[in-house]
Amino acid sequence: MLNSKALISLVGAGPGDPDLLTLKAYKLIQQADVVVYDRLVSEEIQQLIPHGVKKIYVGKASGKHHMNQDEINTLLVTLAKKDRKVVRLKGGDPFIFGRGSEEAAYLVKHDIDFEYVPGITAASACSAYAGIPLTHRGVASSVRLITGHCRADKPLDLNWKSLADEDTTLVFYMGLASLPQLRERLIEAGLPASTPAAAVENGTKDVQRRCLSTLDNLPSDVIKMSICSPALIIIGKVVDFAETLDWFSPIQDRDKEELDVKTRQYIADA
Ligand code: SAH
């Protein structure tokens, strides 16, 4: 049920594939007066915002305007007081490494009603589209979602001993830059260097790429494949399923073939 009173809807946009938007997210986008979105909201999802709805980009990207979190918070409050229906659209699930809870807390502090619409987070979506189950009976009995983000001048401050568990699947968000450090510290803490590990770039999008490797070799293999952000790092025995459960690559190949046929037809017609 849509909450007609809510002034601000904090909405998860999922990982990129527009078909992974929830129906509720889709409906709210269609009914919005203004949509405030950032970098991880895919082009295809941006195209679902109806013409005439005010779009405000607040993400980081070179050449584009970028607001800091305080400015975004202030903007949301200002919009809520002016516009009737504000959708704050964020990649994945805003409450998972998305600062959605900070925005929600700020709204509460300013006495502004909000509703929350969870999105499919990168861990579920990217692993699923890479053919990697996050848990599997007898292989992985738990999952940990971890941020690999660290300040440039500081090492990652994580409990490495507790992470070095062979029966747990480790999923690192924002872990590409700190990958050499992750490798070193996890091996040091006792996780076998041969543990299967993967990076999933642009998960769920038609340009998705997978780098399948081991904990030991992932940092160098990621460089060999020039894997770029956004990329999710998955470490654990479940990564071994990626070959047999790879259902998405054939779809990508089929789509590429269809595109080739269309391009050839277009050239022939021209
Ligand atoms: N709130 C988001 C996460 C934001 S943090 C969510 O729930 O998914 C940003 C990180 O998420 C990226 O650095 C990357 O590690 C991961 N990520 C988000 N979307 C991704 C995608 N489509 N493919 C790969 N990684 C993604």
Side-chain angles (χ1 to χ4, degrees):
M1 217 181 78
L2 294 181
N3 178 356
S4 57
K5 272 200 322 201
L7 282 172
I8 297 231
S9 306
L10 287 175
V11 179
D17 178 351
D19 285 347
L20 293 177
L21 265 183
T22 60
L23 263 183
K24 190 161 184 176
Y26 181 76
K27 284 182 196 166
L28 285 166
I29 291 169
Q30 298 311 303
Q31 295 167 6
D33 294 311
V34 56
V35 176
V36 180
Y37 66 101
D38 44 33
R39 187 175 51 92
L40 282 174
V41 175
S42 69
E43 285 284 333
E44 289 96 327
I45 291 176
Q46 289 173 38
Q47 280 162 17
L48 296 176
I49 304 172
H51 291 295
V53 173
K54 193 157 70 178
K55 291 197 258 181
I56 304 179
Y57 177 81
V58 293
K60 289 179 218 169
S62 54
K64 286 190 181 169
H65 184 57
H66 157 227
M67 286 187 191
N68 66 32
Q69 191 61 49
D70 288 343
E71 288 170 327
I72 295 171
N73 291 348
T74 312
L75 172 75
L76 292 178
V77 170
T78 312
L79 289 172
K81 288 182 176 159
K82 251 185 13 203
D83 290 282
R84 237 165 24 90
K85 286 181 189 142
V86 181
V87 168
R88 170 64 173 122
L89 194 58
K90 293 172 85 93
D93 185 316
F95 278 2
I96 298 183
F97 304 127
R99 306 191 74 169
S101 45
E102 292 173 41
E103 293 180 11
Y106 192 85
L107 295 175
V108 170
K109 198 168 121 197
H110 287 79
D111 214 16
I112 287 165
D113 288 343
F114 80 96
E115 67 178 338
Y116 187 76
V117 182
I120 299 185
T121 191
S124 316
C126 300
S127 59
Y129 275 57
I132 301 170
L134 290 180
T135 67
H136 187 93
R137 197 156 47 99
V139 179
S141 53
S142 66
V143 185
R144 293 194 56 181
L145 309 187
I146 310 143
T147 171
H149 180 74
C150 58
R151 295 224 184 110
D153 53 339
K154 287 198 175 144
L156 263 177
D157 185 19
L158 296 171
N159 183 339
W160 300 101
K161 271 266 165 282
S162 84
L163 292 176
D165 170 11
E166 287 188 62
D167 298 326
T168 296
T169 305
L170 305 178
V171 182
F172 285 94
Y173 288 68
M174 300 169 278
L176 204 52
S178 52
L179 196 50
Q181 206 187 141
L182 296 178
R183 168 191 173 277
E184 202 182 306
R185 303 303 307 272
L186 287 170
I187 293 175
E188 210 174 75
L191 203 60
S194 59
T195 305
V200 184
E201 176 195 72
N202 276 313
T204 79
K205 298 182 199 164
D206 50 9
V207 292
Q208 170 179 301
R209 290 195 302 156
R210 311 180 308 167
C211 174
L212 304 178
S213 181
T214 58
L215 176 56
D216 204 13
N217 296 329
L218 192 63
S220 53
D221 286 347
V222 151
I223 291 170
K224 277 185 212 148
M225 281 183 70
S226 307
I227 295 285
C228 295
S229 188
L232 193 79
I233 310 296
I234 306 169
I235 301 169
K237 289 179 284 185
V238 287
V239 172
D240 270 344
F241 286 96
E243 297 289 1
T244 39
L245 299 186
D246 181 24
W247 60 274
F248 186 57
S249 301
I251 292 177
Q252 282 176 299
D253 293 344
R254 191 197 62 203
D255 288 352
K256 267 182 227 140
E257 267 169 39
E258 269 174 26
L259 202 69
D260 280 352
V261 170
K262 278 190 193 145
T263 311
R264 279 199 296 275
Q265 190 62 46
Y266 179 76
I267 293 168
D269 290 348

